[in-house]
Amino acid sequence: GILTVRGGMTSHAAVVARGMGKCCVSGCGEIKMDEENKKFELAGKTYHEGDWLSLDGSTGKIYDGAIPTVDASISGEFGRIMAWADKYRQMGVRTNADNPRDTAQAVKFGAQGIGLCRTAHVLRGRPHPRHPGDDLLRHRGAAREGSGQAGAHAARRL
């Protein structure tokens, strides 16, 4: 995650973190930074570079040490409410295709295709194809193939 001393939920750090799929706690003014010695103090404890912290991006809480996490799932009461919504909805659900991993996860959670594809994000960190439109066309193919296994398979090919 990302932890900053200044900023807020619309700060650059927070926006970038969301785009990366990371949590961000920004604007923790209680931190006393010592950049020269690569350490900071928070709530009476000194943290050094490499020490573990856990962040709750929803509440802004900061915890000492590493807390085990689990992957998100649609289950329990939330799963039941979503099943009811799926039964009666008349609108399709699409995902942003920022990268193949996130696209496949969105399809797993029920996205029925791709609604937005930012080419710069799709190509980031990848060797440039001989024909730059190739990756974009593959993304469009994933959207056309629809939901379920076909959409997930198409997203994986990227």
Side-chain angles (χ1 to χ4, degrees):
I2 297 175
L3 173 63
T4 69
V5 176
R6 292 186 304 272
M9 62 189 304
T10 59
S11 69
H12 187 268
V15 172
V16 169
R18 276 192 292 277
M20 295 170 51
K22 305 287 182 191
C23 76
C24 179
V25 174
S26 56
C28 184
E30 297 168 21
I31 291 176
K32 295 181 186 112
M33 289 294 304
D34 180 354
E35 290 184 49
E36 185 175 315
N37 294 304
K38 297 186 178 186
K39 64 182 182 179
F40 69 90
E41 186 178 316
L42 177 63
K45 178 170 173 144
T46 301
Y47 294 90
H48 298 86
E49 184 175 6
D51 289 348
W52 279 96
L53 289 173
S54 294
L55 307 175
D56 183 334
S58 297
T59 65
K61 290 186 179 183
I62 303 164
Y63 300 94
D64 183 28
I67 296 175
T69 60
V70 295
D71 289 333
S73 65
I74 298 178
S75 60
E77 296 298 320
F78 180 70
R80 187 162 57 177
I81 290 171
M82 294 308 292
W84 291 340
D86 281 343
K87 183 176 178 182
Y88 295 104
R89 70 180 162 87
Q90 297 179 2
M91 184 182 301
V93 177
R94 307 251 185 271
T95 184
N96 289 357
D98 285 343
N99 62 62
R101 179 181 47 86
D102 292 348
T103 302
Q105 184 67 35
V107 169
K108 180 179 167 187
F109 282 151
Q112 298 166 309
I114 295 172
L116 175 64
C117 177
R118 291 180 282 220
T119 316
H121 291 197
V122 172
L123 299 176
R124 184 181 300 143
R126 300 183 63 190
H128 293 288
R130 177 179 283 178
H131 301 289
D134 289 352
D135 280 345
L136 180 58
L137 291 174
R138 281 200 297 268
H139 259 59
R140 289 180 62 196
R144 276 196 298 268
E145 288 184 38
S147 62
Q149 291 299 327
H153 179 68
R156 259 186 251 111
R157 286 195 312 249
L158 301 175

